Each structure stands twice: as structure tokens, then as C-alpha cells.
Amino acid sequence: MTKYIFITGGVVSGLGKGIAAASLGLILKSRGYKVINQKFDPYLNIDPGTMNPIQHGEVFVTDDGAETDLDLGHYERFTDATLSQSSNTTAGRVYLSVLNKEREGGFHGGTVQVIPNITEEILRRMLLSTNETGADVIITEIGGTVGDIESLPFMEAIRQMKYKVGEENCCYIHLTLVPFMKKADELKTKPTQHSVKELQELGIKPDVIMLRTERDIGQTTRERLAAFCNVDSSCVIQNLNAKSIYEVPLQMEKEGLGQAVCKVLGLKECDSQLDDWKKMVDRFNNPKRKVTIALVGKYVALHDAYLSVVESLIHGGIHNEAEVEIDWVDSELLTDDKTTAARLKNADAVIVPGGFGDRGIEGMINTAKYARTKKVPYFGICLGMQILVIEYSRNVLGLAGANSTEMNKETPYPVIDLMPDQNGKILGGTLRLGKYECSVASGSLVEKAYGSKTIWERHRHRYEFNNKFRDDLKNAGLIISGVNPERDLVETCEVPGNPWMVGVQFHPEFKSRPNKAGPLFRDFIAAAIKQAAAKSKN
């Protein structure tokens, strides 16, 4: 029988339920169980695809093309699972499904209500991952905070789940904040007590309480909370601040989270196998060198907008035993060549990640020109590849005014343009999404990175390299190193004469792992290390 774990949050938002869920997934997987994580969000958007990254953070994309919450990235990076459309559900998607069924006569004229119709749809979706994967354990994170009005249908659904699959197959984990009052020199447990009380009023008794805290809670505090919240003291788990998110699973295992959950669910207790993870964390904590990467983008006000890119750069650093320092650069401030050179001169390499819209584009083009002319390693992802092509078209091929039709519909040289079958479509769900094949050219930097002539990577974009300019750009020296064989779409470009200047239309950051860095990030950081060594020597 599949076991179900539900993680809720209390007191305040932003406590790290996603990291906690991912950490628990790794802990149980290390014990030999097949684990799948999923996220249920109470907002009414159908998915995060059209949400502003500065408000919501990055959109994570799965192999099958789901645009999902960024926490799914944590799930995949920690457990090395491949998640799917069923792994992220929003209230908007639930209500849309129920209302469509009502319009089609699926309820035979009956009244449609939150209970039972909405909650039954939530339960149905919670069980999808079980049917699709045959997992031993399904870990479900409920977005938001206990007490939020929009979360109530989800809370009711997870309450009902206990009776649907059996009490012995359900575990409820509640993550709360234990604030430290500096003046009183005291940790305060009352917020947690009230949060647990509110959860119990909804009919849910937590089996495990996880406490985010800056100070060790101590055995006395642990036992007091256990008594007030009706849990065993061994099921009160402190979640102290860590140096990095990758240390959290090790801390949680040391605290006894794995044992507590196995006890609640009646899972066979066995030793965790986290040696490889410990070695990775040790490499992260003890780098032998340091590199500075300038991340040039338009969403730098919220670092979570580029979360997977940053984590992948760190993965590349771990592989190369290097500390990666990110220099966050607002592309709108790079107004000309002089300003760009002054701002980027301390960087060992530059990366331009994905994005949408025309804001800050000229600054990104100035960045690509700086990297090309100064022979600084450059990595362009999605929009970053398109920027590479635009800059090369303008300043090497000589096409003054070359641009993407996303930025300038009247450009005389639309080197980046919409695919013919996309004109006139609405924004939501019309991108090229998910996993696609790429055939790689022999001898290219991309082939060297992957060690293969066929690769599969995830995509999220609408505009493409315009094949009308392909021959001209190749004749001008641009290397077309990767092509989608199904539709003959350019996937990767490289600039000769630069030690490492690569643009890719796909998003390799979605498949990078802390103990198995994405090949392009691994080689990009290696190029940055060489650049740093050369600068130091000079």
C-alpha cells in the first residue's frame, strides 16, 4: 500500500516547506523506497506559466511540458526523480476541471459545491502520481499557510485522505516557526501551539512537528511542545538554519526525521545511505578555488527568478571544486560598451539566462558583444542564445538593426522570429514546452560537454532562430552546433575565437543535479576557472 505524507506550514510563509519536502524525499529514497514529491498550490492561476517571475520566482518545466512551481526543481534535484504534469496542481486547475465537467453535463444537473465536488477533484489529483508511478511514498506539499482561506479545500481534502487510504498510511507533518526573542533571550513556542491548534480545528492532527529555528530548541522546549501539541517528543524535529540547502537532509536525518516518519507509517526502518550526498556537501564546503560569474538579467530583483540557473552554477562549481560567486547584474544598466565593460570587468565569465519581453535587451546584447570581443566565457540560455545570435548578426554579419520580432516587430532583419504555427495564439500554454531531441555537431563544445551526438533537454520558449538567416550567419563564422531533427530548428550556437561561448535554446538547468552537474554548466565553470587563472597570471 502506498504511503502518503502531507506537509503543511504555519505561523508565517517562506519557511522552506519545499526544501523540507525534498529533504524528506531524499532521506526516504536513501532507505530504498521509491518516492515521488508533488505540490498543491491554492492560487487560482491555472499554472505559473504567465506569472511575473519577480512576484512568483522561476517557472520549473518537466519532461512532459508542465509549467510548475519552483519547488519541483528542489524535488528533482534532491531525489533525482523525473516529475510530470500530475506533480503540480493549482486551485485554478482544480476549479477549471470541475466547472468544465459541469458545463458538459457531467454532474447531471446536480448542485456543484466545494464539498464534495472540489475536494473530490483534489483527492483524485493527489492519487494520480500513485497510479502513474507506483511509488512507495507520495510526499505532498500544501502551499500557503494554515489559516489561509484559499487553502481550506486542500486541508479538507488531506483530512479526508486518511479515511480514504487508512490512518496507518497517512502522515501529517506541520512546519512552523519558533522565533527567538533577543531581548528576552528566549525561544517562543506559543506561535507553534496556536498553529497546531488551528490545524486540529480543521480535523488534522499532525504526527510530526518540524520547527524552523535559529537556535537549538533544547530538550525541555521539545518536550513542552510535544505535550501541548499531542505528539511524541521524538516527533518534534528542529530545522536549524544551514550553510546551504544541501546540508538540510543531513541535518534532518541526524534529528531523526526519517525514523519518526517510518515509525508513523509502519515502514521498515533501515539505515540511510547518504554517503554520496555527504561527499558532495563536503566538496561544496571545501572548495579549492573561487570564480565570479556575472549573471546578467532583467529579473535580478528577485534571485528566485533564476533559481535553477544559480543552483546549476553551484553544481558546476561542486564538480570543479570551486566556490561560485554570483554577481547579479541588471541588464537595464548596461547602456553602452563603456558602461558594460566597467561593470563586467571583474567577472571570470558571464551568463545570460532566459526571459520574456524587451526590457533590458540592449544591455544583454552589449554583454554578448563584450564577451565576444574580450574573449570572456559566455553562456546564453534560451533568450541568452537569441541575444548571442542578434549580437553576432549586428556586429559580425553587419545586419544593422537585427533583432527578434518579440522585441521589435518592424526589425529589417528578424533573425529571431515566431514559429509559423504560433502566430495569433494566446500566451498561456502555447510555448514549446518539455523535452525535445537535439542532434549535436561533431567536434563542437556541446558534443564535448555531453559526450554524445544526440541529447534531450527541456524547453520553454516561443520565439526561434530564423532559418532564413542560417546560411548567412554560418558563412560569417557562427557555428550551428545543435539542431532539432524533427523540425530543423536551431538548438545550439557557438562563437569561434572565444574559449567558451555557447548559446542553447533549451534549459539545461532543469536537469542538473548537485552530485551530477549539468554537462554545460560543468564545462562553463571549468572555462571560468581557466579565465580566472589567466587573469591572475597576467
Side-chain angles (χ1 to χ4, degrees):
M1 183 69 186
T2 301
K3 305 291 185 177
Y4 297 89
I5 300 170
F6 298 99
I7 299 180
T8 57
V11 183
V12 296
S13 60
L15 292 178
K17 291 196 303 295
I19 299 297
S23 297
L24 179 56
L26 172 61
I27 288 169
L28 293 177
K29 182 181 178 182
S30 76
R31 283 169 160 78
Y33 296 107
K34 183 176 182 180
V35 181
I36 291 294
N37 288 76
Q38 56 187 11
K39 174 85 178 279
F40 279 67
D41 274 309
Y43 53 76
L44 288 175
N45 302 69
I46 303 303
D47 57 44
T50 56
M51 296 172 73
N52 189 327
I54 293 179
Q55 181 183 95
H56 183 75
E58 78 165 6
V59 174
F60 188 82
V61 178
T62 60
D63 271 0
D64 62 351
E67 293 179 280
T68 73
D69 184 85
L70 58 81
D71 277 325
L72 269 75
H74 293 311
Y75 304 159
E76 285 207 358
R77 285 187 286 273
F78 278 57
T79 65
D80 198 25
T82 300
L83 302 180
S84 67
Q85 292 275 353
S86 64
S87 301
N88 191 201
T89 293
T90 67
R93 185 168 289 188
V94 170
Y95 279 87
L96 182 65
S97 177
V98 170
L99 292 174
N100 282 340
K101 183 177 179 181
E102 186 272 336
R103 291 291 86 185
E104 295 165 0
F107 294 103
H108 309 293
T111 303
V112 178
Q113 298 174 293
V114 172
I115 302 173
N117 306 110
I118 295 299
T119 52
E120 284 181 354
E121 176 63 14
I122 293 171
L123 288 166
R124 185 187 72 81
R125 289 173 176 270
M126 284 179 174
L127 294 167
L128 276 178
S129 292
T130 311
N131 300 330
E132 290 178 358
T133 66
D136 300 313
V137 181
I138 304 289
I139 302 173
T140 304
E141 175 191 351
I142 305 298
T145 306
V146 172
D148 294 344
I149 292 173
E150 60 266 30
S151 297
L152 290 175
F154 293 92
M155 295 299 179
E156 172 60 18
I158 68 173
R159 184 195 69 80
Q160 293 180 20
M161 181 67 88
K162 179 170 66 174
Y163 303 101
K164 195 175 187 72
V165 301
E167 185 174 1
E168 69 280 5
N169 297 313
C170 266
C171 175
Y172 300 103
I173 299 176
H174 193 49
L175 175 63
T176 73
L177 175 69
V178 179
F180 176 73
M181 303 298 290
K182 190 174 182 180
K183 284 267 187 181
D185 192 31
E186 185 180 7
L187 288 166
K188 293 295 184 180
T189 63
K190 192 65 70 176
T192 294
Q193 293 175 44
H194 282 296
S195 184
V196 170
K197 179 183 176 184
E198 191 158 4
L199 193 63
Q200 289 174 334
E201 288 174 352
L202 298 173
I204 300 168
K205 177 188 175 297
D207 300 293
V208 177
I209 297 174
M210 191 179 294
L211 308 173
R212 285 287 284 116
T213 173
E214 297 178 3
R215 304 286 184 97
D216 189 288
I217 61 174
Q219 188 61 30
T220 302
T221 303
R222 189 189 301 265
E223 290 177 356
R224 182 167 68 247
L225 272 171
F228 285 135
C229 298
N230 298 315
V231 298
D232 190 274
S233 61
S234 65
C235 293
V236 178
I237 308 294
Q238 71 174 359
N239 188 347
L240 283 164
N241 291 348
K243 184 178 178 180
S244 80
I245 60 173
Y246 299 121
E247 288 187 358
V248 175
L250 303 180
Q251 288 187 180
M252 293 297 92
E253 175 66 358
K254 186 177 179 181
E255 278 291 311
L257 178 61
Q259 288 180 329
V261 169
C262 286
K263 181 179 178 181
V264 170
L265 292 173
L267 291 170
K268 182 181 178 181
E269 179 54 42
C270 51
D271 293 334
S272 59
Q273 304 296 323
L274 292 168
D275 289 347
D276 287 344
W277 195 267
K278 290 176 183 176
K279 290 176 183 176
M280 178 273 294
V281 171
D282 184 65
R283 287 169 69 92
F284 172 81
N285 287 333
N286 299 285
K288 295 180 179 178
R289 53 190 70 88
K290 182 178 180 179
V291 291
T292 300
I293 306 297
L295 190 154
V296 182
K298 60 174 68 178
Y299 310 127
V300 294
L302 179 68
H303 295 178
D304 274 359
Y306 300 113
L307 181 61
S308 289
V309 171
V310 172
E311 292 302 319
S312 298
L313 291 170
I314 292 171
H315 303 165
I318 292 170
H319 180 90
N320 288 284
E321 298 182 286
E323 177 187 351
V324 176
E325 180 181 359
I326 307 295
D327 181 12
W328 296 88
V329 181
D330 187 341
S331 61
E332 286 191 277
L333 303 180
L334 306 180
T335 53
D336 54 37
D337 291 346
K338 185 177 180 181
T339 304
T340 303
R343 182 65 183 83
L344 300 178
K345 67 179 181 180
N346 294 324
D348 300 312
V350 293
I351 185 167
V352 179
F356 295 89
D358 61 358
R359 182 171 62 83
I361 293 301
E362 292 301 320
M364 296 179 193
I365 294 171
N366 292 335
T367 297
K369 181 181 179 182
Y370 168 82
R372 180 178 58 81
T373 57
K374 301 297 183 182
K375 299 190 183 329
V376 175
Y378 173 99
F379 191 8
I381 296 175
C382 195
L383 175 62
M385 187 202 88
Q386 297 174 5
I387 292 296
L388 180 154
V389 172
I390 293 168
E391 190 280 326
Y392 203 91
S393 299
R394 289 183 185 181
N395 300 314
V396 179
L397 186 56
L399 302 180
N403 213 326
S404 165
T405 52
E406 179 184 10
M407 319 308 169
N408 179 9
K409 294 188 182 302
E410 307 302 322
T411 175
Y413 304 109
V415 293
I416 305 295
D417 201 0
L418 275 176
M419 292 183 284
D421 58 349
Q422 283 192 315
N423 284 298
K425 287 193 174 183
I426 61 174
L427 292 179
T430 61
L431 302 169
R432 185 151 75 102
L433 289 164
K435 183 174 70 172
Y436 287 89
E437 183 181 359
C438 174
S439 296
V440 179
S442 297
S444 64
L445 291 171
V446 176
E447 187 203 28
K448 181 182 177 182
Y450 286 91
S452 174
K453 292 184 179 179
T454 300
I455 61 176
W456 293 81
E457 289 284 6
R458 300 176 189 178
H459 295 64
R460 183 179 183 251
H461 68 279
R462 181 174 289 106
Y463 289 79
E464 298 279 358
F465 183 108
N466 190 341
N467 280 332
K468 293 178 181 178
F469 296 89
R470 188 159 158 183
D471 288 341
D472 289 340
L473 282 163
K474 286 174 67 176
N475 291 335
L478 186 69
I479 299 169
I480 307 299
S481 56
V483 176
N484 172 251
E486 181 184 0
R487 299 179 63 180
D488 195 33
L489 297 170
V490 173
E491 295 275 18
T492 70
C493 299
E494 300 174 16
V495 173
N498 185 295
W500 206 95
M501 191 166 187
V502 176
V504 298
Q505 188 61 77
F506 46 78
H507 288 268
E509 68 269 26
F510 293 145
K511 293 174 68 175
S512 183
R513 304 288 185 257
N515 45 10
K516 188 180 180 182
L520 292 170
F521 287 96
R522 179 198 65 213
D523 287 8
F524 174 61
I525 295 300
I529 291 170
K530 289 182 180 178
Q531 182 77 2
K535 284 167 61 178
S536 178
K537 185 178 180 181
N538 291 333

